Amino acid sequence: MNLNLFPKWIANPSVAGVGLQSLLTWPFLLLAAVIVALALGGVSDTLLMALALIGVLGIGRDITALHRARAERQQIEQQYQMLFREMLDGFALHELIFDAQGQPVDYRFLAVNPAFERLTGLKAETLVGRTVREVMPGTEQHWIDTYGRVTLTGEPALFENESQELGRSFKVTAFRPAPGQFACIFTDITERKQAEAQANALQDYLRCVLDSLPSHIAILDHQGMILDVNEAWKDFADNNALAVTHYCIGQNYLAICEAATESEKTAAGIRAVINRQIGNFTLEYPCHAPDEQRWFLLRVTPFMGLGPASVILTHTDITERKRVEEQITHLAYHDALTQLPNRVLLTDRLQQAMAQVQRDQQQLAVCYLDLDDFKPINDALGPVEGDRVLIEVAQRLKACVRAGDTVARMGGDEFVLLLGDLPNIEECERALDRVLTALQAPFSAAGLSLSLTASLGVTLYPDDAADPDALLRHTDQAMYAAKQAGGHRYHWFDADHDRRARRHRELLQQVEAGLAAGEFRLYYQPKVDMRTGAVIGAEALIRWQHPDEGLLPPARFMPTVETSDLAITLDCWVIQETLRQMTVWAAMGLHLRVSVNVCGRHLQQLDFVARLRTVLARYPTIPEDGLELEILETAALDDIAAISRLIEACRQLGVRFALDDFGTGYSSLTYLQHLPVQVLKIDQSFVRNLLADADAHAIVEGVIGLSAAFRREVIAEGVETDAHGSRLMQLGCMLAQGYGIARPMPPEQIPGWIADWTPPAAWANAAG
């Protein structure tokens, strides 16, 4: 920083007037004399030597003071250099240039600080010593005149300047530091000016939007005075006789509403929003006139634009909406063709009727009616004549019931009747007979005479203590039962059958959820050769680890599952889990053939073999004949040829087949001859009774004989005692499984059981 550029303007009153002294602080004033000396030629050393000489002559100053003065001067100079360099506002010192007549025509840059360079993008080396017209030729004369007045009069100026060339806006403080010079402090206000411009544009935009809205809008202050309204408000107030509640700017809207009895609710709502007791207020109200009635929607919301207590009112004409709503309401609750109650209104009336029955201790009959074979009639007559018939049906049904009863149309040719306050079933049946008789009376349509019949499903509430939806569902089920019985009748809903069906559905849902949650387990029951004592394999048996009921056997859920496609999903899980467990055992050195049960529904799937091939490919270490599929004899009998082809295809994959529960179906020699299974399993019911029932003994003996004749392996399941095993061996059956050998167990217990297994001594005697 060259302090020679700053004359004695530091203490100038003009500078003090614009606050520059507060910026430069008092130490600079103390060094004013030094700065002047520097400005006059940089004779600081001469001056200090003169001061030292004066000290020598006896003025009382010594050489120590001289050195202190020099150090202080250097420190202060450094401080002001730093101030000049680090100040955030731009600073520029100029020299005014006059023409021959003494008029200001230009000015020259004498010094600028770094902040000025940052704000303007102009560098000191390109400015200092040059005039503004050289740097910015587009500078307008009025700015030079403004700075000229400051320089000539000494009166500081404060103004805002938008520089088109720099694309920025500044707040400028101009003052005269010395004759012929002026200095400027530039504060960047570009962002503020942009924000103001945006705010002004937004205000203009909002005004335009406000005036373009069709709703009547007014802004009130905290006392209820109307501060502003839009054009729609003005037009309505000026030109409409209904505008009894619309007022002009300057009137107290709230006071007028409070004075009007019919507007007390409006006034209370507005007052509550003004006091911020509620966030907003909405009211629909009518405006009456001699020739018409119109509806308006009033909305009152806080308006923060004019202070925290103002609100904005919006009056919207909703007359047309009200008319449409009335039509929609009717259509929403009534059938468009017959004008009968529809499903929505029926549900409401059903709920009311159920509540009435509870109070009066009576009965309510819910009847679902479907016209028999109406579709062919409608197709033959055409939709127009078909609709006329439906309208006539609706009228006849209404004539068959009492005034307090309900006839509703569900759609198509389906209707529902609610017959309330029934003292007994006979009263209901008489009403239903009237309905069937009324519909048989000839209808005239398209020049033809035709009769109709109907099927009705009926249930009684509260005997059938279900909810409204369930009651309708029950009557729908009963109606289909009536149709299956031939039509033209009514059928009473069977609640016990429905409860069984509902439990069936719920159990299937629980099984599906349990499978997804990983609640199912496989237990394994060993199979042994009773003659040698060798463990020849195991059967995988599913269990359900129910979160509430504990470990459930398959009898608790499989009978239900096997009636649905969920059985296929469960089968797939069992096969994959079995193969996974066999792989685990194989890694331990234990190689067991494992059999799994497969349901007939699964076997009938066209992709059964392909899916089995895919899952086997995931476990390549499973040996050939390691997996055995057990199928029920009854499933195989459904289509012996198809099942035979499937078994042959699976055998190509290395999968064995066993015929489970053999003897419970319709076994025949032809059947065994054509079914390529490797194993016959004697049903456990015969094995258990082997020692006490001659017929069971004969069947077991016959199955063993058949297996030998057709070269099939035979295994007995259900061996519960040593004696059962001994007798089976005497009859020629050496393979067995059952509780007398081992109960099904978790897979981790199988290796230990095999290690500890010892066959009974009685079997060794039987084998000998």
Side-chain angles (χ1 to χ4, degrees), residues 716-763:
E717 57 181 352
V719 175
E720 297 185 349
T721 67
D722 296 351
H724 283 90
S726 297
R727 185 61 185 141
L728 286 167
M729 294 173 69
Q730 293 169 3
L731 293 175
C733 176
M734 302 303 167
L735 307 181
Q737 69 181 97
Y739 284 5
I741 300 170
R743 289 178 176 270
M745 64 189 73
E748 60 271 15
Q749 295 179 11
I750 286 289
W753 183 90
I754 293 176
D756 297 337
W757 157 250
T758 301
W763 292 0

Side-chain angles (χ1 to χ4, degrees), residues 88 307 456 521:
L88 296 178
L456 291 92
R521 308 283 185 269

Side-chain angles (χ1 to χ4, degrees), residues 212-226:
S212 66
L213 293 175
S215 299
H216 317 142
I217 301 173
I219 300 173
L220 311 184
D221 66 9
H222 67 285
Q223 295 179 335
M225 299 292 293
I226 299 178

Side-chain angles (χ1 to χ4, degrees), residues 471-487:
L471 288 175
L472 292 175
R473 189 167 60 251
H474 294 169
T475 56
D476 187 38
Q477 295 172 11
M479 179 270 293
Y480 276 104
K483 278 193 177 297
Q484 291 172 352

Side-chain angles (χ1 to χ4, degrees), residues 198-220:
Q198 292 174 356
N200 292 335
L202 180 60
Q203 186 174 4
D204 293 341
Y205 171 77
L206 293 177
R207 180 78 253 178
C208 179
V209 171
L210 192 67
D211 286 339
S212 66
L213 293 175
S215 299
H216 317 142
I217 301 173
I219 300 173
L220 311 184

Side-chain angles (χ1 to χ4, degrees), residues 591-641:
H591 300 280
L592 279 182
R593 176 185 294 152
V594 182
S595 63
V596 299
N597 293 278
V598 179
C599 68
R601 184 185 294 267
H602 194 186
L603 291 173
Q604 294 168 3
Q605 300 301 303
L606 297 178
D607 62 345
F608 178 85
V609 176
R611 294 172 69 173
L612 183 60
R613 180 184 297 110
T614 300
V615 72
L616 284 170
R618 297 183 192 141
Y619 302 94
T621 60
I622 300 298
E624 187 172 345
D625 291 345
L627 178 66
E628 183 175 276
L629 301 182
E630 297 186 8
I631 60 175
L632 291 176
E633 180 184 356
T634 51
L637 284 172
D638 288 341
D639 189 341
I640 293 178

Side-chain angles (χ1 to χ4, degrees), residues 519-654:
E519 295 172 1
F520 284 87
R521 308 283 185 269
L522 286 185
Y523 277 42
Y524 296 85
Q525 186 175 43
K527 301 177 183 179
V528 301
D529 186 328
M530 296 182 290
R531 178 178 50 194
T532 65
V535 178
I536 63 169
E539 180 179 2
L541 299 168
I542 194 167
R543 299 289 187 268
W544 184 3
Q545 190 64 53
H546 196 280
D548 299 323
E549 301 182 44
L551 192 67
L552 301 182
R556 288 285 301 276
F557 55 90
M558 284 308 298
T560 299
V561 170
E562 287 170 350
T563 64
S564 74
D565 287 340
L566 185 58
I568 299 173
T569 305
L570 208 57
D571 272 3
C572 292
W573 178 85
V574 170
I575 292 172
Q576 177 151 315
E577 177 61 18
T578 298
L579 294 173
R580 186 198 66 79
Q581 185 58 51
M582 291 171 68
T583 303
V584 173
W585 284 333
M588 300 167 57
L590 177 61
H591 300 280
L592 279 182
R593 176 185 294 152
V594 182
S595 63
V596 299
N597 293 278
V598 179
C599 68
R601 184 185 294 267
H602 194 186
L603 291 173
Q604 294 168 3
Q605 300 301 303
L606 297 178
D607 62 345
F608 178 85
V609 176
R611 294 172 69 173
L612 183 60
R613 180 184 297 110
T614 300
V615 72
L616 284 170
R618 297 183 192 141
Y619 302 94
T621 60
I622 300 298
E624 187 172 345
D625 291 345
L627 178 66
E628 183 175 276
L629 301 182
E630 297 186 8
I631 60 175
L632 291 176
E633 180 184 356
T634 51
L637 284 172
D638 288 341
D639 189 341
I640 293 178
I643 293 297
S644 297
R645 289 192 297 271
L646 182 143
I647 292 175
E648 287 293 348
C650 291
R651 289 180 66 175
Q652 297 300 316
L653 302 176

Side-chain angles (χ1 to χ4, degrees), residues 350-370:
L350 179 53
Q351 291 171 339
Q352 294 182 27
M354 291 167 67
Q356 184 72 29
V357 164
Q358 294 288 354
R359 289 193 298 269
D360 298 344
Q361 300 297 309
Q362 296 287 330
Q363 289 183 312
L364 168 68
V366 183
C367 314
Y368 204 108
L369 182 149
D370 183 88

